[in-house]
Amino acid sequence: PVRANDELGDLADGFNQMATHLQTLYSTLEERVEAKTRSLAERNRELGLLYEITAFLGEPAAVETLCKGFLTRVRTAMGADAGSVRLYVAATDQLYLTTHEGLTAEFVAREASMSCGDCLCGELIETGIPVVFDTASPPPGMKLRNCIREGFATATAFNVLYNRQRVGLFNLYFREPHAVSEQELNLLETLGQHLGVAIENQRLRSREKQLAVSEERNLLAQELHDSIAQGLAFLNIQVQLLQDSLRKGRAEEAMQTAGQLREGVQESYDDVRELLVQFRTRMHQSDLDT
């Protein structure tokens, strides 16, 4: 107790404040350690999920395969009952259901394609802001009939972006009310950006293959023009000369022209075989190594 207002009283008061502070620290220490442990565990889980998905998306695969693997991993990590990935086509302003898990055939049939003005998915495309809605009390004017009919209590939608351009979105559905924290929201948006990059990379690879095929066709057309077409033009002239020789009864001249025709046909035949051999050749890794 503080019994005086002198130096000893101030000292006693200081000791009392220190004791109270220490008692408070000791009483909440275990709780704070548990909270910090939970926070670190959550961080480790997020980093593990981010690494796993980034490694998966780094492998070359079809767009459908990328979306399917992405959805499976995110849905499992977030404990969602169902999910889907939709790709956006700007030309038609439509969202197309690319892959899904945990959804009934009726739900998939109703939402295989949808306009961007419909439901919460269209809201995301228009605003670019991730959405998390309780189906029991959606915002005014928001249509969630299919989600309600499917028995979901919480419906969410997150961006799939590439270079700030909308590639599509992915949904997570929960049958019980589910709150999405700010930290989880940021993580899901980051994962959506990784998926967008992977999808665009795959599209670029497909365009490169198409370009390669187009260049090969152009090369073949050029080769045909430079060799076969010229040879046929020569043969056409020789046939006219042969007809003229036969009409005039010049047998020796006709035989000479026929020989030239035979040589021209053989040259054209050889050119065709050479082109076929060149365009059937396949490159092997051993050829590159040597």
Side-chain angles (χ1 to χ4, degrees):
V2 180
R3 296 195 176 99
N5 292 327
D6 54 10
E7 291 82 354
L8 292 178
D10 292 339
L11 182 62
D13 183 61
F15 272 109
N16 289 338
Q17 291 181 20
M18 182 180 65
T20 302
H21 181 65
L22 289 174
Q23 185 176 6
T24 302
L25 289 178
Y26 293 150
S27 63
T28 60
L29 179 61
E30 184 176 353
E31 179 182 347
R32 287 185 289 113
V33 168
E34 290 179 356
K36 195 65 175 179
T37 302
R38 287 193 302 269
S39 176
L40 290 174
E42 182 66 21
R43 283 288 184 180
N44 288 334
R45 185 181 72 88
E46 292 177 0
L47 290 174
L49 177 61
L50 184 61
Y51 175 80
E52 179 184 2
I53 290 182
T54 302
F56 168 73
L57 295 177
E59 297 294 330
V63 171
E64 293 76 10
T65 303
L66 293 173
C67 293
K68 181 69 174 177
F70 172 87
L71 180 61
T72 299
R73 288 163 173 79
V74 172
R75 178 192 169 200
T76 301
M78 300 303 297
D81 297 292
S84 62
V85 177
R86 307 169 193 264
L87 296 184
Y88 174 62
V89 178
T92 60
D93 200 32
Q94 293 275 323
L95 285 165
Y96 295 93
L97 192 62
T98 303
T99 188
H100 58 86
E101 292 182 358
L103 300 175
T104 63
E106 292 77 12
F107 185 96
V108 173
R110 286 191 295 265
E111 298 202 358
S113 64
M114 60 192 309
S115 300
C116 286
D118 298 339
C119 203
L120 65 90
C121 298
E123 179 79 8
L124 173 63
I125 290 295
E126 292 179 358
T127 65
I129 302 174
V131 289
V132 180
F133 290 143
D134 290 330
T135 58
S137 57
M142 184 59 60
K143 303 173 184 178
L144 295 174
R145 291 189 300 270
N146 292 333
C147 295
I148 296 173
R149 191 182 294 115
E150 196 77 1
F152 298 129
T154 301
T156 68
F158 303 94
N159 287 293
V160 176
L161 300 174
Y162 171 74
N163 198 22
R164 297 185 179 179
Q165 297 180 356
R166 293 179 179 84
V167 177
L169 58 89
F170 67 96
N171 306 103
L172 296 175
Y173 303 100
F174 302 86
R175 299 197 180 279
E176 298 295 331
H178 183 86
V180 179
S181 66
E182 188 71 22
Q183 189 172 336
E184 290 175 331
L185 189 111
N186 292 334
L187 173 64
L188 292 171
E189 282 288 284
T190 300
L191 294 176
Q193 293 178 13
H194 283 285
L195 177 60
V197 171
I199 291 174
E200 283 303 308
N201 286 341
Q202 178 57 32
R203 289 175 175 173
L204 288 174
R205 282 192 286 266
S206 298
R207 294 190 190 105
E208 287 178 356
K209 291 180 181 178
Q210 294 174 359
L211 181 60
V213 171
S214 178
E215 290 178 350
E216 186 173 354
R217 289 176 177 173
N218 290 336
L219 178 60
L220 177 59
Q222 185 65 37
E223 290 291 336
L224 288 173
H225 177 271
D226 293 343
S227 58
I228 308 302
Q230 292 180 7
L232 292 175
F234 169 77
L235 293 176
N236 185 38
I237 295 174
Q238 295 302 314
V239 168
Q240 295 177 17
L241 294 175
L242 177 62
Q243 290 175 338
D244 184 64
S245 299
L246 292 174
R247 188 166 50 251
K248 295 178 179 179
R250 301 173 181 173
E252 184 178 350
E253 185 177 305
M255 290 298 296
Q256 183 179 0
T257 303
Q260 293 177 347
L261 279 172
R262 186 181 187 87
E263 292 177 1
V265 170
Q266 183 62 42
E267 288 180 2
S268 296
Y269 176 72
D270 293 339
D271 289 341
V272 171
R273 285 181 58 86
E274 183 178 356
L275 284 175
L276 291 177
V277 170
Q278 289 178 354
F279 282 92
R280 284 177 179 172
T281 301
R282 293 292 181 266
M283 185 68 68
H284 298 284
Q285 184 64 38
S286 58
D287 299 330
L288 296 177
D289 292 339
T290 58

